[in-house]
Amino acid sequence: MNHLRIFARRSLQWRRNNLRSPSPFSSSLPRSFCHSSAESNRPSFGIAFDIDGVVLLGHSPVGGSPGAVRRLYDDSGALKVPFIFLTNGGGYPESKRASELSQLLGVNISPFQVVQGHSPFQKLVNRFENELIVAAGKGEPAAVMSNYGFKNVISLDEYSSFFDNIDPLAPYKKWETRQEGAEEVHSRDRILSLRVQAAFIVSDPVDWSQDIQVLCDILRTGGLPGKGIGPQPPLYLANDDLDYQTAFPTERLGMGAFRIALEAIFNRVHPTPLEYTSFGKPNPSVFKNAEDVLRQIVTSVPHSDQRVGDHSNSGSHHFRTLYMIGDNPKIDIRGARQAGQPWFSILTRTGVFKGKDNHGDFPADLVVDTVEEAVDYILTRESTKQHS
Amino acid sequence: MNHLRIFARRSLQWRRNNLRSPSPFSSSLPRSFCHSSAESNRPSFGIAFDIDGVVLLGHSPVGGSPGAVRRLYDDSGALKVPFIFLTNGGGYPESKRASELSQLLGVNISPFQVVQGHSPFQKLVNRFENELIVAAGKGEPAAVMSNYGFKNVISLDEYSSFFDNIDPLAPYKKWETRQEGAEEVHSRDRILSLRVQAAFIVSDPVDWSQDIQVLCDILRTGGLPGKGIGPQPPLYLANDDLDYQTAFPTERLGMGAFRIALEAIFNRVHPTPLEYTSFGKPNPSVFKNAEDVLRQIVTSVPHSDQRVGDHSNSGSHHFRTLYMIGDNPKIDIRGARQAGQPWFSILTRTGVFKGKDNHGDFPADLVVDTVEEAVDYILTRESTKQHS
């Protein structure tokens, strides 16, 4: 097996000037792999990077991430090693996140290489394409959903603003309810005449008291706040992370905590318990999907009608090893360990995780200090394999 | 028995020009009752009014409340019938609430006649007088506690502002974290060196994501956010109302919903379940206390060192009937019914409660449309009694 060397020698063609302009509806696959038609020329390993705490801390690169990621390209800027970013975070379209990462890391990241907590929502477009749906969370939740193809989406903030007195604490809040990036202005009368058919928690909700109140209103009435009890519309959450690391010494509450709060209250005001579907790591389906996306990067040609996560062309390429590099034992490492072969888990102790031990039910296969060390380990290991 | 007539004839002396200026630390008892020394001259009934939805809707009188309350005074402005306001609401010192009610209703209300959800907190002054405590909720929670005599109280908003990165959603919040009425500026270094010894939820929390996060930080660490797990400091809540009526067609979530959310999350991040003490209606102790306050109004002379709720002088006066006038079947009516003799419950269907039926496990003794009708019923009934 000589994958890495072959890869490097062939100088796979994903060059900057070859990149399609990022479009949220196109897959923007690296063109490089179109040229390696022979199965034997395809790489037998790939990498999934968690973003927060691994390659970025806030909006700054961390752990030598620009240098580490650049090693996955050749000198001409063409990709050598297939990799993706696999994050439970979100709130912005994949195209926007890819642009931000490209700028911060100094390489060209395709939107197709960015898999966020809410990326699986696009698989629900067929079901809710023309239905009224609400999207909640920080950032631009409605823009995220519009970009996936949902045609009748409204942010929970804007939806709430259409109801007088729906939030009794509003007089005590001195903040903007309109979300950044909210371009479309909905007709109040039209929106109020429709039932909300589903609610999507795209990213961490900010105004919990309003969001829990209005989601309870939507979910307990069958989608018509202020009306009588009705069957619960579906609720989807981008992840179910109870907590996560930031610069604060102890974990901060995440979307999973919001879900616990919503569920506990909903179950007191509705005759049947809350039903919901959550995505995100450590769910094994996320790792299965990541493998599909990496395979797609290696094997596929881009089609103009393809969307991120549409893996109809992913073929039968076999990865011997897929590396998950993450800083969260409960999310990244547990997820990769539970997913099993071909996943190999690497825990980085970048910054805030310095003091964390590698223990628990799912210890990492490898623990390093930085993503730079992780990539160095991977390339050395794979190089050794190909020489052996 | 001729109480009402005697009361009217004696023109009991609680005149406006006789009122002591409202001070949050003085009881400001009506002086009138100092003059009726004989037990037989004392009234055998009293009234407790819920505020929101009964005498006020938002900041406007409702149900003819100014006229109704004025009937409890004689032509000279002296009090004829002992009454109090008994609300689960709060967020402002009793003196401020009394001034507001005086202005809106056109009569002189003493701070002693205002019993709020957080009024029982003052009984804890002896225990926490010099300890660091945090106070949460809309309005002026720290001012409320300072006025009760707590000497080392800080609002949860100000406390949170002392910790970098404690609220991961703060960058998405475009609002003021400093509370209105926050006069004192604490020393950050001093506050951070101290353990928080107790947390008080004075009124409905506004910024749930921050407040749940920081309360979890305080409660799971023994009062030192960012540190390791420790024994939970005491948590006190002014009420445990799951929901309440406003101008919105269906009930809005209250402090009880916040408690449910906090408890559900806390129990996931701390090895032992949340312990808390909640006050407010329908707790029978609230009605016992209300009876004590009404008895105090009838029997006591004011002492300069007396505080609201200090009933050491309440004597042994006997009320034949105490009327609870409220608009919330689950809170006011249930509470009065459970408290039993001498309580008589009157449900008003003012405004938002128009459509509510008088049913459930605790039906009201009487249902009327407005507080005006309720007072008319009471005065007629008591007048008939005294003539019979």
Side-chain angles (χ1 to χ4, degrees):
Chain A
M1 300 288 278
N2 208 12
H3 291 147
L4 191 71
R5 196 152 50 96
I6 290 168
F7 240 56
R9 198 177 59 233
R10 297 211 169 197
S11 178
L12 291 165
Q13 309 299 315
W14 185 21
R15 297 173 195 286
R16 292 181 191 204
N17 56 8
N18 231 1
L19 259 185
R20 299 160 53 178
S21 63
S23 154
F25 287 93
S26 67
S27 57
S28 299
L29 281 172
R31 300 204 160 220
S32 53
F33 299 103
C34 312
H35 299 268
S36 63
S37 55
E39 176 78 14
S40 62
N41 291 342
R42 291 171 176 168
S44 68
F45 72 102
I47 305 176
F49 294 92
D50 182 30
I51 298 178
D52 301 306
V54 174
V55 295
L56 299 181
L57 205 56
H59 290 282
S60 303
V62 71
S65 58
V69 171
R70 228 173 282 128
R71 291 184 68 189
L72 309 179
Y73 297 78
D74 69 14
D75 290 342
S76 69
L79 192 63
K80 291 191 297 185
V81 176
F83 74 90
I84 60 170
F85 295 98
L86 187 61
T87 174
N88 278 0
Y92 297 95
E94 282 75 11
S95 55
K96 192 165 183 170
R97 199 82 172 114
S99 297
E100 183 200 40
L101 286 163
S102 299
Q103 193 174 13
L104 289 170
L105 300 178
V107 292
N108 261 287
I109 310 294
S110 155
F112 193 74
Q113 290 176 284
V114 179
V115 181
Q116 304 188 85
H118 46 68
S119 296
F121 288 172
Q122 62 201 304
K123 294 183 177 171
L124 293 161
V125 169
N126 287 345
R127 181 167 170 197
F128 297 109
E129 187 170 4
N130 297 301
E131 309 284 359
L132 177 63
I133 60 169
V134 295
K138 66 185 183 184
E140 304 168 359
V144 167
M145 299 301 281
S146 292
N147 284 338
Y148 289 156
F150 296 94
K151 295 192 172 62
N152 208 357
V153 57
I154 185 170
S155 76
L156 192 59
D157 283 344
E158 187 180 0
Y159 186 72
S160 304
S161 74
F162 288 163
F163 293 85
D164 293 333
N165 305 306
I166 199 168
D167 178 5
L169 297 166
Y172 299 90
K173 295 172 182 170
K174 304 178 183 74
W175 60 76
E176 291 291 322
T177 54
R178 290 301 301 276
Q179 234 140 357
E180 49 178 320
E183 289 158 19
E184 195 180 356
V185 176
H186 293 271
S187 153
R188 180 176 186 271
D189 289 345
R190 188 183 144 272
I191 293 292
L192 295 192
S193 72
L194 298 172
R195 277 183 191 276
V196 176
Q197 299 292 339
F200 292 82
I201 315 300
V202 172
S203 49
D204 285 358
V206 177
D207 186 353
W208 282 25
S209 63
Q210 171 199 271
D211 292 357
I212 290 175
Q213 174 68 74
V214 181
L215 284 170
C216 279
D217 287 331
I218 291 170
L219 299 174
R220 71 197 288 262
T221 60
L224 291 172
K227 307 298 184 190
I229 299 289
Q232 184 211 310
L235 169 69
Y236 301 97
L237 298 107
N239 69 62
D240 200 34
D241 295 357
L242 174 63
D243 51 26
Y244 60 100
Q245 277 291 344
T246 68
F248 195 76
T250 55
E251 287 90 341
R252 302 294 83 197
L253 299 173
M255 196 185 297
F258 177 82
R259 190 266 304 161
I260 289 169
L262 173 67
E263 185 175 22
I265 293 172
F266 179 86
N267 290 351
R268 288 289 299 272
V269 299
H270 193 262
T272 59
L274 184 74
E275 294 183 6
Y276 65 91
T277 305
S278 60
F279 297 89
K281 300 172 282 184
N283 196 319
S285 69
V286 171
F287 291 85
K288 184 75 189 66
N289 179 63
E291 186 176 349
D292 288 345
V293 174
L294 284 161
R295 189 178 293 121
Q296 180 92 336
I297 290 177
V298 175
T299 61
S300 293
V301 292
H303 298 301
S304 60
D305 61 345
Q306 240 177 359
R307 290 178 185 150
V308 185
D310 179 355
H311 311 302
S312 49
N313 270 2
S314 54
S316 59
H317 176 73
H318 175 72
F319 285 114
R320 204 166 56 181
T321 312
L322 291 176
Y323 297 91
M324 175 72 227
I325 308 177
D327 72 332
N328 192 328
K330 289 184 292 188
I331 304 292
D332 303 306
I333 306 308
R334 184 182 171 191
R337 291 295 308 271
Q338 284 182 320
Q341 279 294 330
W343 288 94
F344 183 97
S345 59
I346 303 179
L347 178 69
T348 66
R349 296 179 296 193
T350 317
V352 294
F353 261 94
K354 268 189 291 221
K356 294 280 162 183
D357 291 335
N358 178 36
H359 53 54
D361 293 339
F362 298 96
D365 295 307
L366 176 71
V367 181
V368 295
D369 282 331
T370 64
V371 67
E372 198 167 22
E373 286 178 41
V375 168
D376 193 61
Y377 169 84
I378 293 168
L379 296 183
T380 305
R381 183 173 190 244
E382 293 295 332
S383 173
T384 306
K385 277 186 197 168
Q386 76 190 19
H387 289 297
S388 65
Chain B
M1 299 288 279
N2 210 9
H3 290 147
L4 193 71
R5 198 152 50 98
I6 290 169
F7 241 55
R9 198 177 60 234
R10 296 212 169 197
S11 178
L12 292 165
Q13 308 299 314
W14 185 20
R15 298 173 196 286
R16 294 179 189 204
N17 55 8
N18 231 1
L19 261 183
R20 299 161 54 178
S21 63
S23 155
F25 287 94
S26 67
S27 57
S28 299
L29 280 173
R31 300 206 160 218
S32 53
F33 299 103
C34 312
H35 299 269
S36 65
S37 57
E39 176 76 15
S40 61
N41 292 341
R42 291 171 176 169
S44 68
F45 73 102
I47 306 176
F49 294 92
D50 182 30
I51 297 179
D52 301 305
V54 174
V55 296
L56 300 181
L57 205 56
H59 290 282
S60 303
V62 70
S65 58
V69 172
R70 228 173 282 128
R71 290 184 69 188
L72 309 179
Y73 297 77
D74 71 13
D75 291 342
S76 68
L79 191 64
K80 289 193 297 185
V81 176
F83 74 91
I84 60 170
F85 294 98
L86 187 61
T87 175
N88 277 1
Y92 297 95
E94 283 73 11
S95 55
K96 192 164 184 170
R97 199 81 171 116
S99 297
E100 183 199 40
L101 286 163
S102 299
Q103 192 174 13
L104 289 169
L105 301 177
V107 293
N108 262 286
I109 310 294
S110 155
F112 193 74
Q113 289 176 284
V114 178
V115 181
Q116 304 189 85
H118 47 68
S119 296
F121 287 173
Q122 62 201 304
K123 293 182 178 172
L124 293 161
V125 169
N126 287 344
R127 181 166 171 197
F128 297 108
E129 186 169 4
N130 297 302
E131 309 284 358
L132 177 63
I133 60 169
V134 295
K138 67 186 183 183
E140 305 168 0
V144 167
M145 300 300 282
S146 292
N147 284 338
Y148 289 155
F150 295 92
K151 295 193 172 62
N152 209 357
V153 56
I154 184 170
S155 76
L156 191 59
D157 283 343
E158 187 179 1
Y159 185 72
S160 304
S161 73
F162 289 163
F163 293 85
D164 294 333
N165 306 306
I166 200 168
D167 178 5
L169 297 166
Y172 298 91
K173 295 173 181 170
K174 304 178 183 72
W175 60 75
E176 291 291 322
T177 55
R178 290 301 302 275
Q179 234 141 358
E180 50 177 320
E183 289 158 19
E184 195 179 356
V185 176
H186 293 271
S187 153
R188 181 176 185 271
D189 289 344
R190 189 183 143 272
I191 293 292
L192 295 191
S193 72
L194 298 172
R195 277 184 191 275
V196 176
Q197 299 293 338
F200 292 81
I201 315 300
V202 173
S203 49
D204 286 358
V206 177
D207 186 353
W208 282 26
S209 63
Q210 171 198 270
D211 292 357
I212 290 175
Q213 174 67 74
V214 181
L215 284 170
C216 279
D217 287 331
I218 291 170
L219 298 174
R220 71 198 288 263
T221 59
L224 291 172
K227 307 298 182 189
I229 298 289
Q232 185 211 308
L235 170 68
Y236 301 97
L237 298 107
N239 69 63
D240 199 34
D241 297 357
L242 174 63
D243 50 26
Y244 61 101
Q245 278 292 343
T246 69
F248 196 76
T250 54
E251 286 91 342
R252 301 294 82 196
L253 298 173
M255 195 184 297
F258 177 82
R259 189 266 304 162
I260 288 169
L262 173 67
E263 186 175 22
I265 294 172
F266 179 86
N267 290 351
R268 288 288 299 273
V269 299
H270 193 263
T272 59
L274 184 74
E275 293 183 7
Y276 65 91
T277 305
S278 60
F279 296 89
K281 299 173 283 183
N283 197 319
S285 69
V286 171
F287 291 86
K288 184 75 189 66
N289 179 63
E291 185 176 349
D292 288 344
V293 175
L294 283 160
R295 189 178 293 120
Q296 181 92 336
I297 290 177
V298 175
T299 61
S300 292
V301 292
H303 298 302
S304 61
D305 61 344
Q306 239 176 1
R307 289 176 186 154
V308 185
D310 178 356
H311 311 302
S312 49
N313 270 1
S314 56
S316 60
H317 177 72
H318 174 72
F319 285 113
R320 204 164 56 180
T321 312
L322 291 175
Y323 297 91
M324 176 71 228
I325 308 177
D327 73 331
N328 192 327
K330 288 184 293 189
I331 303 293
D332 304 306
I333 306 307
R334 183 181 172 192
R337 290 296 306 274
Q338 284 182 322
Q341 278 294 333
W343 288 94
F344 181 98
S345 58
I346 304 180
L347 179 69
T348 66
R349 296 179 296 193
T350 317
V352 293
F353 260 94
K354 266 189 294 221
K356 294 281 161 184
D357 291 336
N358 178 38
H359 54 54
D361 293 340
F362 298 97
D365 294 307
L366 176 71
V367 181
V368 294
D369 282 333
T370 65
V371 67
E372 197 168 23
E373 286 178 43
V375 168
D376 193 62
Y377 169 84
I378 293 167
L379 296 183
T380 304
R381 184 172 187 244
E382 292 295 330
S383 172
T384 306
K385 276 187 197 167
Q386 75 189 20
H387 288 299
S388 66

mmCIF file of all heavy atoms in Angstrom, chain A residues 163-178:
data_model
loop_
_atom_site.group_PDB
_atom_site.id
_atom_site.type_symbol
_atom_site.label_atom_id
_atom_site.label_comp_id
_atom_site.label_asym_id
_atom_site.label_seq_id
_atom_site.Cartn_x
_atom_site.Cartn_y
_atom_site.Cartn_z
ATOM 1 N N PHE A 163 -46.530 38.019 18.042
ATOM 2 C CA PHE A 163 -47.572 37.794 19.046
ATOM 3 C C PHE A 163 -47.450 38.827 20.163
ATOM 4 O O PHE A 163 -46.416 38.887 20.844
ATOM 5 C CB PHE A 163 -47.438 36.392 19.661
ATOM 6 C CG PHE A 163 -47.732 35.273 18.705
ATOM 7 C CD1 PHE A 163 -46.741 34.798 17.860
ATOM 8 C CD2 PHE A 163 -48.998 34.706 18.643
ATOM 9 C CE1 PHE A 163 -47.004 33.753 16.974
ATOM 10 C CE2 PHE A 163 -49.266 33.672 17.762
ATOM 11 C CZ PHE A 163 -48.268 33.193 16.923
ATOM 12 N N ASP A 164 -48.500 39.606 20.372
ATOM 13 C CA ASP A 164 -48.499 40.543 21.490
ATOM 14 C C ASP A 164 -48.488 39.765 22.797
ATOM 15 O O ASP A 164 -49.249 38.801 22.959
ATOM 16 C CB ASP A 164 -49.763 41.417 21.452
ATOM 17 C CG ASP A 164 -49.755 42.339 20.236
ATOM 18 O OD1 ASP A 164 -48.659 42.672 19.754
ATOM 19 O OD2 ASP A 164 -50.858 42.707 19.764
ATOM 20 N N ASN A 165 -47.655 40.175 23.717
ATOM 21 C CA ASN A 165 -47.648 39.655 25.094
ATOM 22 C C ASN A 165 -47.256 38.182 25.213
ATOM 23 O O ASN A 165 -47.529 37.566 26.238
ATOM 24 C CB ASN A 165 -49.029 39.837 25.752
ATOM 25 C CG ASN A 165 -49.487 41.283 25.691
ATOM 26 O OD1 ASN A 165 -48.784 42.183 26.124
ATOM 27 N ND2 ASN A 165 -50.684 41.502 25.145
ATOM 28 N N ILE A 166 -46.660 37.601 24.174
ATOM 29 C CA ILE A 166 -46.341 36.167 24.274
ATOM 30 C C ILE A 166 -45.212 35.940 25.272
ATOM 31 O O ILE A 166 -45.164 34.905 25.926
ATOM 32 C CB ILE A 166 -45.989 35.570 22.886
ATOM 33 C CG1 ILE A 166 -46.121 34.036 22.913
ATOM 34 C CG2 ILE A 166 -44.591 35.993 22.425
ATOM 35 C CD1 ILE A 166 -46.082 33.383 21.550
ATOM 36 N N ASP A 167 -44.311 36.912 25.399
ATOM 37 C CA ASP A 167 -43.193 36.795 26.341
ATOM 38 C C ASP A 167 -43.385 37.805 27.469
ATOM 39 O O ASP A 167 -43.135 39.001 27.293
ATOM 40 C CB ASP A 167 -41.867 37.053 25.623
ATOM 41 C CG ASP A 167 -40.672 36.990 26.579
ATOM 42 O OD1 ASP A 167 -40.869 36.648 27.762
ATOM 43 O OD2 ASP A 167 -39.550 37.284 26.127
ATOM 44 N N PRO A 168 -43.837 37.339 28.636
ATOM 45 C CA PRO A 168 -44.153 38.292 29.713
ATOM 46 C C PRO A 168 -42.924 39.023 30.245
ATOM 47 O O PRO A 168 -43.049 40.027 30.931
ATOM 48 C CB PRO A 168 -44.771 37.399 30.793
ATOM 49 C CG PRO A 168 -44.181 36.052 30.552
ATOM 50 C CD PRO A 168 -43.999 35.944 29.065
ATOM 51 N N LEU A 169 -41.727 38.512 29.932
ATOM 52 C CA LEU A 169 -40.504 39.138 30.420
ATOM 53 C C LEU A 169 -39.938 40.142 29.415
ATOM 54 O O LEU A 169 -38.959 40.828 29.711
ATOM 55 C CB LEU A 169 -39.459 38.069 30.738
ATOM 56 C CG LEU A 169 -39.868 37.100 31.858
ATOM 57 C CD1 LEU A 169 -38.961 35.881 31.876
ATOM 58 C CD2 LEU A 169 -39.843 37.799 33.209
ATOM 59 N N ALA A 170 -40.583 40.252 28.253
ATOM 60 C CA ALA A 170 -40.067 41.140 27.209
ATOM 61 C C ALA A 170 -39.855 42.577 27.699
ATOM 62 O O ALA A 170 -38.847 43.192 27.348
ATOM 63 C CB ALA A 170 -40.990 41.107 25.984
ATOM 64 N N PRO A 171 -40.772 43.132 28.530
ATOM 65 C CA PRO A 171 -40.537 44.519 28.975
ATOM 66 C C PRO A 171 -39.247 44.681 29.782
ATOM 67 O O PRO A 171 -38.749 45.793 29.943
ATOM 68 C CB PRO A 171 -41.756 44.815 29.859
ATOM 69 C CG PRO A 171 -42.803 43.840 29.424
ATOM 70 C CD PRO A 171 -42.065 42.613 29.014
ATOM 71 N N TYR A 172 -38.714 43.575 30.307
ATOM 72 C CA TYR A 172 -37.496 43.644 31.114
ATOM 73 C C TYR A 172 -36.249 43.351 30.281
ATOM 74 O O TYR A 172 -35.141 43.339 30.801
ATOM 75 C CB TYR A 172 -37.579 42.665 32.285
ATOM 76 C CG TYR A 172 -38.728 42.969 33.206
ATOM 77 C CD1 TYR A 172 -39.976 42.412 33.004
ATOM 78 C CD2 TYR A 172 -38.567 43.864 34.267
ATOM 79 C CE1 TYR A 172 -41.041 42.717 33.836
ATOM 80 C CE2 TYR A 172 -39.618 44.173 35.105
ATOM 81 C CZ TYR A 172 -40.854 43.601 34.877
ATOM 82 O OH TYR A 172 -41.908 43.909 35.702
ATOM 83 N N LYS A 173 -36.434 43.087 28.999
ATOM 84 C CA LYS A 173 -35.309 42.762 28.128
ATOM 85 C C LYS A 173 -35.018 43.952 27.242
ATOM 86 O O LYS A 173 -35.877 44.393 26.493
ATOM 87 C CB LYS A 173 -35.626 41.526 27.268
ATOM 88 C CG LYS A 173 -35.801 40.265 28.091
ATOM 89 C CD LYS A 173 -36.312 39.114 27.240
ATOM 90 C CE LYS A 173 -36.521 37.877 28.117
ATOM 91 N NZ LYS A 173 -37.226 36.790 27.406
ATOM 92 N N LYS A 174 -33.800 44.422 27.333
ATOM 93 C CA LYS A 174 -33.435 45.586 26.541
ATOM 94 C C LYS A 174 -32.556 45.146 25.388
ATOM 95 O O LYS A 174 -31.465 45.622 25.203
ATOM 96 C CB LYS A 174 -32.700 46.601 27.414
ATOM 97 C CG LYS A 174 -33.483 47.036 28.640
ATOM 98 C CD LYS A 174 -32.685 47.997 29.490
ATOM 99 C CE LYS A 174 -33.428 48.365 30.753
ATOM 100 N NZ LYS A 174 -33.432 47.262 31.741
ATOM 101 N N TRP A 175 -33.025 44.163 24.614
ATOM 102 C CA TRP A 175 -32.181 43.706 23.523
ATOM 103 C C TRP A 175 -32.970 43.587 22.233
ATOM 104 O O TRP A 175 -34.182 43.606 22.193
ATOM 105 C CB TRP A 175 -31.500 42.377 23.855
ATOM 106 C CG TRP A 175 -32.411 41.219 24.133
ATOM 107 C CD1 TRP A 175 -33.112 40.492 23.230
ATOM 108 C CD2 TRP A 175 -32.692 40.632 25.419
ATOM 109 N NE1 TRP A 175 -33.794 39.496 23.862
ATOM 110 C CE2 TRP A 175 -33.559 39.547 25.189
ATOM 111 C CE3 TRP A 175 -32.271 40.900 26.714
ATOM 112 C CZ2 TRP A 175 -34.027 38.740 26.225
ATOM 113 C CZ3 TRP A 175 -32.746 40.096 27.728
ATOM 114 C CH2 TRP A 175 -33.614 39.041 27.487
ATOM 115 N N GLU A 176 -32.223 43.468 21.150
ATOM 116 C CA GLU A 176 -32.802 43.293 19.825
ATOM 117 C C GLU A 176 -33.367 41.895 19.696
ATOM 118 O O GLU A 176 -32.685 40.920 19.999
ATOM 119 C CB GLU A 176 -31.712 43.479 18.767
ATOM 120 C CG GLU A 176 -31.199 44.888 18.648
ATOM 121 C CD GLU A 176 -32.251 45.821 18.069
ATOM 122 O OE1 GLU A 176 -32.987 45.407 17.168
ATOM 123 O OE2 GLU A 176 -32.325 46.970 18.549
ATOM 124 N N THR A 177 -34.590 41.778 19.212
ATOM 125 C CA THR A 177 -35.121 40.441 18.984
ATOM 126 C C THR A 177 -34.874 39.979 17.553
ATOM 127 O O THR A 177 -34.903 38.800 17.279
ATOM 128 C CB THR A 177 -36.628 40.373 19.258
ATOM 129 O OG1 THR A 177 -37.281 41.379 18.487
ATOM 130 C CG2 THR A 177 -36.917 40.606 20.729
ATOM 131 N N ARG A 178 -34.628 40.936 16.650
ATOM 132 C CA ARG A 178 -34.349 40.530 15.274
ATOM 133 C C ARG A 178 -32.938 39.970 15.183
ATOM 134 O O ARG A 178 -31.998 40.522 15.739
ATOM 135 C CB ARG A 178 -34.492 41.724 14.329
ATOM 136 C CG ARG A 178 -35.937 42.179 14.158
ATOM 137 C CD ARG A 178 -36.804 41.049 13.599
ATOM 138 N NE ARG A 178 -36.320 40.578 12.320
ATOM 139 C CZ ARG A 178 -36.623 41.147 11.177
ATOM 140 N NH1 ARG A 178 -37.383 42.201 11.140
ATOM 141 N NH2 ARG A 178 -36.148 40.661 10.049
#
